[in-house]
Amino acid sequence: MESQEYIAALKADPKIAAGSPAHLHMHEAAARAQRITHKINNSLLTRGELQALFNELTCGKVGANFGLFPPFYTDYGMNITIGDNVFINSGCCLQDQGGIYIGDGALIGHQVVIATLNHEQDPSRRGDMTASPVHIGKNVWIGAHATILPGVTVGDGAIVAAGAVVTKDVPPKTIVGGVPAKVIKVIQ
């Protein structure tokens, strides 16, 4: 299974059965992502070299003026799309099988986790997964140690406070915080 076929299959049906061709593809893709992120995380790279490796990781889905402070972790890499002028700080972990879309001007703080997979609740099918994309809007700021869960959309101009666990959509131009995250303030 190729990445384009896998991504198209998940858009049609987000269920991934344990042991299925899609599940096996995830493991093969994880090995690829580990090879590339190892280079990112264990080399002194120029900004251009870092951008080139990130473009390789994402199959060219990175906008202009991308910035990253390693280390960076992902277990797929080919379903991340990044807009222009995005900065990702050190220690972030993006689980992108379901798709992660980061809008122009977004700032992602230290050790942020963005997840796009959930395991089945039924213990007899716990190895099965469901993929749901995460959308981060334009000019969003996600604070350090925040976690964005599968299926969440963070609206344009929003702020996610440090340490927040975002379980549902965040309206544009709002600040959310806490566990689970709740609206704290509307940005004027």
Side-chain angles (χ1 to χ4, degrees):
M1 178 174 272
E2 296 296 321
S3 64
Q4 296 89 348
E5 180 184 1
Y6 171 79
I7 292 167
L10 285 185
K11 286 181 181 176
D13 180 7
K15 301 280 187 198
I16 305 165
S20 68
H23 190 229
L24 298 175
H25 169 74
M26 290 169 60
H27 288 280
E28 293 167 6
R32 174 194 172 273
Q34 288 170 355
R35 284 191 296 276
I36 297 169
T37 57
H38 180 79
K39 291 177 191 174
I40 289 170
N41 296 337
N42 294 288
S43 305
L44 293 174
L45 301 168
T46 66
R47 183 177 174 107
E49 291 168 332
L50 195 55
Q51 289 171 338
L53 281 169
F54 214 84
N55 266 307
E56 179 184 348
L57 178 67
T58 64
C59 300
K61 295 182 277 187
V62 179
N65 300 314
F66 170 71
L68 170 73
F69 285 173
F72 173 82
Y73 306 97
T74 185
D75 53 2
Y76 192 72
M78 295 177 278
N79 208 2
I80 300 171
T81 303
I82 296 178
D84 294 337
N85 303 307
V86 169
F87 177 73
I88 298 176
N89 219 321
S90 63
C92 290
C93 183
L94 275 57
Q95 179 198 54
D96 64 297
Q97 289 89 346
I100 296 174
Y101 307 91
I102 301 175
D104 296 345
L107 303 173
I108 312 296
H110 291 86
Q111 297 182 341
V112 165
V113 173
I114 302 175
T116 65
L117 292 177
N118 273 323
H119 285 274
E120 289 294 326
Q121 292 181 6
D122 178 351
S124 68
R125 295 183 34 236
R126 189 67 43 85
D128 294 354
M129 294 166 273
T130 302
S132 300
V134 169
H135 296 267
I136 308 297
K138 294 179 180 179
N139 301 309
V140 167
W141 172 22
I142 300 177
H145 297 276
T147 299
I148 312 295
L149 294 181
V152 166
T153 295
V154 179
D156 292 348
I159 298 172
V160 175
V165 177
V166 183
T167 61
K168 55 187 171 185
D169 291 352
V170 176
K173 291 189 176 180
T174 59
I175 301 172
V176 299
V179 180
K182 293 181 172 52
V183 173
I184 297 171
K185 180 180 178 180
V186 174
I187 300 169
Q188 299 301 321

